[in-house]
Amino acid sequence: MKELRQRIAGARRIVAFTGAGISVESGIPTFRGPGGLWRTYRAEELATANAFHRNPRLVWEWYDSRRQIMAQAEPNAGHRALAALERRCGGFTLVTQNIDGLHNRAGSRRVLKVHGDIWRLRCMDCEHEADDFRTPMPDLPPRCQCGGLLRPGVVWFGEYLPRDVWSEAESAASGAEVFLTIGTSAVVYPAAGLIDTARRGGALIVEVNPQETPYSQSVDHSLRGPAGEILPELLG
Ligand code: BV8
Ligand code: ZN
């Protein structure tokens, strides 16, 4: 770990790519781990434009319950270690698949949210978009002034990632000297493809996850443990 710490401390261009696992120690259940189910539904069934079209109220009940959990959650030592790294390293880029907003609340200034943000609502009719932190929402599904349905400002399965955020994430990954993949099962694409992009660019790839992932065998260092413990040690 010491040699790796020095490698990272000496790197100019570092990318951290995070998933739901970094928020586990803040009390937010992951997608595919225990607690990833809601009532009898899998996330993949509810996080789609189709499900929302068919039953906006049900999908909003799921997002509203997640917003309530996220509002109670506090950033943990893993989030804070990444915010500190951003202050120390000018060439640092944080890319997250998480929609919980905990990186921002931990002090990270530049957060590339490739799967959107649960605290942003967008109108399905007039496209008006704004932050809304109310928990619980007064009525479900929420409506825009124009009368249109408001949706969570997140990327659903089958939807494109926000173009400019995605291209910024891709170019950061392709130019990285060190690429940290933290708390993600790396099964959702194109986001997980950032790991391949970083490897093609010659980056040193470090994975932080208590479990194996499809990338564990091919990364340079696979650190088996929780982000809240490993990151302060690795980046401190
Ligand atoms: C796209 C936002 C192009 C919403 C999310 C069929 C039709 C259409 C598309 C597809 C298809 N088949 C495949 C696809 C592509 C699809 C995909 O990849 N599907 C997967 C399931 C196979 N991708 C898409 O649809 C993407 N768009 O392809 O557009 C296109 C356009 C039109 C038509 C066709 C194609 C959009 C994907 C974005 C979906 N939105 N979230 C919401 O949150 O409600 S994805 C969702 O999964 C979350 O963002 C989450 O972050 C992400 C990845 O999951 P993880 O973050 O990795 O979380 P997970 O639970 O899986 O793992 C947690 C990890 O943490 C575990 O490894 C665990 O061990 C670890 N852990 C636990 N504790 C700790 C820890 N780690 C560290 N410390 C700890 N303490
Ligand atoms: Zn509207």
Side-chain angles (χ1 to χ4, degrees), residues 19-22 24-25 30-33 44 47 62-63 66 97-99 115 154-161 183-190 208-211 213 225-227:
I22 197 170
V24 164
E25 290 150 277
T30 62
F31 257 78
R32 292 165 189 85
E44 274 82 3
W62 179 49
Y63 279 97
R66 293 170 70 193
Q97 299 169 94
N98 298 343
I99 61 171
H115 289 162
V154 300
V155 179
W156 279 327
F157 288 99
E159 292 187 326
Y160 287 104
L161 279 56
T184 182
S185 58
V187 295
V188 174
Y189 285 83
V208 176
N209 195 321
Q211 315 265 337
T213 75

Side-chain angles (χ1 to χ4, degrees), residues 75-154:
N76 63 57
H79 297 106
R80 287 196 295 274
L82 292 174
L85 179 59
E86 180 187 53
R87 290 191 286 273
R88 277 200 316 274
C89 172
F92 175 68
T93 301
L94 175 58
V95 181
T96 190
Q97 299 169 94
N98 298 343
I99 61 171
D100 57 30
L102 287 185
H103 284 301
N104 301 83
R105 286 176 51 200
S108 292
R109 310 285 297 265
R110 183 169 160 261
V111 184
L112 299 182
K113 296 173 183 161
V114 293
H115 289 162
D117 182 344
I118 204 167
W119 303 111
R120 296 283 293 172
L121 304 192
R122 186 169 71 245
C123 177
M124 303 283 278
D125 288 356
C126 73
E127 305 266 308
H128 173 72
E129 184 167 330
D131 279 339
D132 183 321
F133 293 98
R134 291 176 295 173
T135 53
M137 292 295 285
D139 45 330
L140 298 177
R143 292 246 170 223
C144 172
Q145 273 101 341
C146 82
L149 258 185
L150 290 173
R151 62 165 282 176
V154 300

Side-chain angles (χ1 to χ4, degrees), residues 209-220:
N209 195 321
Q211 315 265 337
E212 282 256 316
T213 75
Y215 285 88
S216 297
Q217 303 311 323
S218 59
V219 298
D220 298 286

Side-chain angles (χ1 to χ4, degrees), residues 14-43:
I14 303 174
V15 172
F17 172 56
T18 64
I22 197 170
S23 296
V24 164
E25 290 150 277
S26 298
I28 298 177
T30 62
F31 257 78
R32 292 165 189 85
L37 271 185
W38 183 73
R39 294 193 193 154
T40 58
Y41 304 94
R42 284 175 346 108

